Amino acid sequence: MLDKSYVVPWGKRGSMSTDAEAAVLADLVHESTPLPAGARRERFERSFAEAVGSRHAISVNSAAVALHMAIRMLDLAPGDEVIATPQTHRATVQPLLDHDVRVRFCDIDPTTLNLDPAALEALITPRTRALLLVHYGGCPAEMDTVMALARRHGFLVLEDCVHALGARYRGHSPGSLADIATFSLRNDKAGTVLGEGGLITCDRDDWAQRLHRLRAHDTDTPTAHPRPARATEPCVLPAATYTTPLQRGCVRRPGSDATMPEAVAALGQAQLAGVETAAAKRRALAGRLDEVLARYPFFTPQSAPAHSTHAYHLYTCLADHQELRDRLVLALDHRGVEIQLRYFPQHLLPQWRHRGHLRGECPVAERSWFEQHLNLPCHALLTPHQEDYLIEALDGSLAELNGGAPVPAAMSATVCGRR
């Protein structure tokens, strides 16, 4: 399936580019304001925080950096336990490898594919310090239950919103539902800003201050002008010759150079207004895909709770068993529709197996990936012709699997609560 030209390709870019965005870049190239000045970055952060409903938004140069920095805010100590979802990209949990903590993977709900609150409660111990979850595919996790457990047991919650720009949970945006959250502006996400970018949102002023220092390589001690050791000892250079005060004291934590470039921030600002439009386009296509699947009960779409709005960064459906899933993948590929399977269960990757995680730890997530789920193209850059072709190809492939006859009982076994 590599090096193949598809009629309906998987989305290589997650958002639509316009002439207005090109004009923003042209302005940057021709103006005299220094690019590192940060005025556009600050404006973008304010706009993003307002859009999400968070007190602070701190921009960085990638989502991976955002996750690393957000996890540092959790102040994990040796012996702490962190609960995480296995149904995510490796970047969500990989920063935990840098910490001497025990990671406990929580199984997923078979309908939403998000972390299962019932399974979560069974994993909580007195050592539980934090929870890392993802809104898989743009389907919001059940945050009310999760946060109630977190407050009752005294642990922090980090929501990875890499898929969730444009989603809603009880009217609120992901990124404002937990203690701290991260977003991605990578090339294939809902905001596409020259390939890479990330944001961290939170309400705590002290965390925002620390994150600004970490991002810019600032020290985390007070600043002061130097003083002579004795009154008769002059300064080698007067403090007035420096454009900024000199630092006294030591640095407790090293920073980085993770600042978001001005061009990226300018594009992010320009694209914020189009997030809802792109999400509505994906939801409309998802509705058409749902209508096709409703005619074939041996495939079931991922479902969001009634009080949530799915962003459909991924459109995921689940087969009754592996043979059906594999046959549909091949049938669609033959018709020129590119299919993805996302994601391999994290606890079974070599780095986590090395830490003692085994097959059978998260049986729902394992069955989903190995036997059931596939992701259909569902992105804002599909043309009307490509959307129509996708619908026809899916309907034709499923009809071919069904053979034009009633679905056999063996193929209509209950999966995800539906027959």
Side-chain angles (χ1 to χ4, degrees), residues 391-402:
I391 297 301
E392 293 171 6
L394 178 61
D395 197 15
S397 297
L398 290 170
E400 183 179 281
L401 292 182
N402 195 19

Side-chain angles (χ1 to χ4, degrees), residues 240-256:
T241 66
Y242 292 91
T243 57
T244 57
L246 298 180
Q247 307 289 342
R248 278 195 311 177
C250 61
V251 177
R252 294 190 297 268
R253 296 180 180 86
S256 61

Side-chain angles (χ1 to χ4, degrees), residues 66-235:
L67 280 161
H68 275 275
M69 290 174 60
I71 287 173
R72 286 181 67 170
M73 295 303 100
L74 305 177
D75 291 323
L76 300 174
D80 285 345
E81 293 183 359
V82 179
I83 300 173
T85 176
Q87 182 62 48
T88 186
H89 188 270
R90 63 183 180 275
T92 302
V93 293
Q94 198 154 280
L96 294 173
L97 294 169
D98 291 337
H99 300 267
D100 184 15
V101 297
R102 180 187 181 190
V103 176
R104 310 189 76 186
F105 286 97
C106 178
D107 212 351
I108 61 173
D109 179 273
T111 58
T112 67
L113 306 183
N114 286 320
L115 180 143
D116 184 353
L120 167 63
E121 189 161 16
L123 294 177
I124 298 169
T125 76
R127 288 186 172 273
T128 302
R129 172 66 178 167
L131 166 67
L132 272 62
L133 58 79
V134 67
H135 304 289
Y136 175 74
C139 176
E142 196 56 76
M143 295 303 296
D144 281 357
T145 306
V146 167
M147 295 309 296
L149 287 170
R151 298 299 177 250
R152 187 188 316 158
H153 295 279
F155 59 84
L156 298 168
V157 179
L158 188 162
E159 50 176 333
D160 181 353
C161 302
V162 64
H163 298 165
L165 201 58
R168 292 290 184 274
Y169 176 80
R170 299 189 186 278
H172 299 283
S173 173
S176 65
L177 305 172
D179 297 291
I180 193 166
T182 61
F183 288 84
S184 174
L185 301 179
R186 200 170 186 271
N187 195 61
D188 58 345
K189 301 303 185 294
T192 299
V193 286
L194 300 179
E196 288 286 357
L199 292 114
I200 306 163
T201 58
C202 66
D203 286 338
R204 286 179 51 168
D205 295 343
D206 59 330
W207 279 1
Q209 186 180 54
R210 285 176 60 187
L211 288 165
H212 280 291
R213 287 170 174 165
L214 285 171
R215 177 184 69 181
H217 219 338
D218 288 344
T219 59
D220 45 9
T221 53
T223 62
H225 292 296
R227 295 180 180 178
R230 294 186 297 274
T232 58
E233 181 180 324
C235 293

Side-chain angles (χ1 to χ4, degrees), residues 232-292:
T232 58
E233 181 180 324
C235 293
V236 177
L237 292 174
T241 66
Y242 292 91
T243 57
T244 57
L246 298 180
Q247 307 289 342
R248 278 195 311 177
C250 61
V251 177
R252 294 190 297 268
R253 296 180 180 86
S256 61
D257 189 6
T259 303
M260 176 179 283
E262 282 288 88
V264 171
L267 279 185
Q269 180 71 36
Q271 290 188 345
L272 267 181
V275 167
E276 293 299 332
T277 300
K281 189 174 188 294
R282 295 193 302 271
R283 280 193 284 269
L285 176 55
R288 296 181 67 187
L289 294 169
D290 284 348
E291 290 176 1
V292 174

